[in-house]
Amino acid sequence: MSKYIKTQMSAENYIDDFIRGEKQTEPNPFLSTRIVAEIEKMQQAEIKKVTWWQIVVFVACIVTMVFLGITIGNSYISHISQEITMNINDNEIENLGYYSLNNYE
Amino acid sequence: MEEEQLIQEIVCGNTLAFKMLMEKYQNRVFCVAMGFVHSKEDAEDLTQEVFIKVYLSLSTFNHESKFSTWLYRITINTCINFANRNRKRRLLQSLEDVWHSAFNQRDEEQTPLEKMEISERNLLIKKAIDSLSDRQRVAFILSKYEELPQKEIAAIMNTTEGAVEQLLQRAKNNLQKKLKRSVGN
């Protein structure tokens, strides 16, 4: 057998051996579980995803509430009366008659 | 459950049906990925990427071809894109593997020198396979790794059986040309 043919056959045998070795490699037995978990994670992320108009509505609500609160607060302050009244209970005030000189000896 | 039924269930969102389909085709996808990347970890990542793409685009599968044909096409496109993106990193990884395999203590029948020779030879074979053109590499991997008939390879590659035979012949000649000096001696 010529040297060229022998070389070709041995190269082919080496290639076949190499491929046979790679074909014997087995994947991780939990690979399918890992892939399903990844897909479920993506689905969760999709559910949690917020659209732009939802963000706009949310910000508008907050701004409206703050504005409403300030307006109510301002209107409340403007109606408070500036008058001050004194409430005195005469019975609890010290009886100044004790200090007069008539009939208390 | 039949494949058609499984696909219907998956389109409706049944992940259990998808898991059943995956278990049926997982090893085939993994084997093709190994042919492209020659690394178990990368092949697993690729298998994951392929099945996620399948899940997301299953509603667009129009049953014009067999499901396996459609799946192989997705696998091949994903593998080619991955291999082209990570060419340099994988070359460095292969060189590391040659170094580490020389000191692998599990197989005590071979000396470190023999192990290193085998690893270097395997590295040359990997480089030779990776240097084939995309179409030759696809035909070669589907034929040698998956042992598919030429008719099926032609359906996957959307070409004729004659073209597949030519691609396989050219791939074989190119590999032997690249390897004859180093591996053949």
Side-chain angles (χ1 to χ4, degrees):
Chain A
M1 203 184 279
S2 74
K3 192 182 172 186
Y4 176 72
I5 293 171
K6 275 187 193 170
T7 308
Q8 269 197 316
M9 280 173 66
S10 65
E12 213 167 307
N13 288 340
Y14 288 137
I15 293 169
D16 288 341
D17 281 345
F18 170 76
I19 292 171
R20 205 175 301 122
E22 288 214 321
K23 280 168 73 170
Q24 283 171 358
T25 311
E26 284 184 6
N28 186 329
F30 298 109
L31 182 59
S32 57
T33 310
R34 176 177 133 190
I35 294 170
V36 168
E38 190 64 35
I39 288 170
E40 282 170 357
K41 202 167 125 184
M42 281 168 56
Q43 285 174 336
Q44 291 292 327
E46 273 292 317
I47 291 165
K48 282 183 189 166
K49 210 169 150 186
V50 175
T51 56
W52 68 268
W53 61 266
Q54 284 175 320
I55 297 170
V56 167
V57 165
F58 182 70
V59 169
C61 284
I62 289 177
V63 167
T64 307
M65 276 164 52
V66 167
F67 180 72
L68 209 61
I70 293 170
T71 309
I72 290 170
N74 285 340
S75 62
Y76 176 74
I77 287 168
S78 66
H79 288 303
I80 289 176
S81 170
Q82 295 296 325
E83 291 174 3
I84 298 171
T85 55
M86 277 183 66
N87 203 2
I88 299 171
N89 184 355
D90 288 338
N91 287 336
E92 288 179 5
I93 289 176
E94 191 173 359
N95 190 349
L96 295 172
Y98 281 128
Y99 298 103
S100 71
L101 293 172
N102 298 329
N103 302 324
Y104 283 103
E105 289 182 1
Chain B
M1 211 186 274
E2 276 187 25
E3 204 166 270
E4 292 282 334
Q5 230 177 326
L6 268 179
I7 292 170
Q8 281 302 317
E9 290 285 321
I10 294 165
V11 169
C12 296
N14 186 344
T15 46
L16 191 64
F18 183 67
K19 196 171 177 188
M20 286 168 68
L21 189 73
M22 240 192 323
E23 279 162 6
K24 187 177 172 186
Y25 287 103
Q26 181 183 286
N27 286 341
R28 293 196 220 182
V29 172
F30 180 79
C31 195
V32 171
M34 274 299 289
F36 277 95
V37 297
H38 313 293
S39 148
K40 183 183 172 190
E41 289 74 26
D42 287 346
E44 284 176 355
D45 289 345
L46 269 172
T47 306
Q48 179 174 307
E49 205 177 317
V50 165
F51 278 111
I52 288 174
K53 279 187 188 173
V54 164
Y55 183 79
L56 294 175
S57 56
L58 198 53
S59 53
T60 64
F61 174 56
N62 53 17
H63 301 273
E64 279 179 7
S65 58
K66 287 195 299 179
F67 174 77
S68 59
T69 305
W70 186 72
L71 178 63
Y72 274 122
R73 283 186 193 146
I74 294 179
T75 307
I76 285 160
N77 289 336
T78 309
C79 290
I80 289 175
N81 291 339
F82 180 91
N84 290 339
R85 273 200 316 263
N86 296 289
R87 212 179 278 273
K88 277 184 194 168
R89 182 183 65 79
R90 284 174 39 234
L91 178 61
L92 288 170
Q93 184 67 46
S94 302
L95 291 168
E96 261 184 53
D97 290 343
V98 168
W99 179 254
H100 287 303
S101 66
F103 302 100
N104 185 350
Q105 293 300 315
R106 283 181 223 160
D107 186 357
E108 293 181 1
E109 289 176 3
Q110 293 170 335
T111 62
L113 183 64
E114 282 168 351
K115 284 183 208 169
M116 195 169 251
E117 276 176 5
I118 292 170
S119 290
E120 277 182 11
R121 190 168 64 219
N122 287 343
L123 180 60
L124 288 167
I125 294 172
K126 281 182 204 177
K127 279 167 80 173
I129 294 174
D130 289 349
S131 68
L132 294 173
S133 71
D134 284 349
R135 287 178 65 78
Q136 285 177 19
R137 194 158 33 137
V138 167
F140 178 79
I141 288 169
L142 290 176
S143 172
K144 292 289 188 178
Y145 281 79
E146 283 293 286
E147 295 173 16
L148 294 179
Q150 287 188 7
K151 187 177 176 186
E152 203 169 333
I153 298 174
I156 293 166
M157 293 180 71
N158 206 17
T159 185
T160 60
E161 278 183 59
V164 169
E165 197 174 334
Q166 268 196 3
L167 286 169
L168 287 172
Q169 194 55 46
R170 283 182 199 156
K172 188 180 166 184
N173 292 341
N174 286 337
L175 284 174
Q176 284 177 344
K177 218 185 289 180
K178 282 173 180 135
L179 293 171
K180 77 174 174 190
R181 279 183 203 162
S182 40
V183 172
N185 291 337

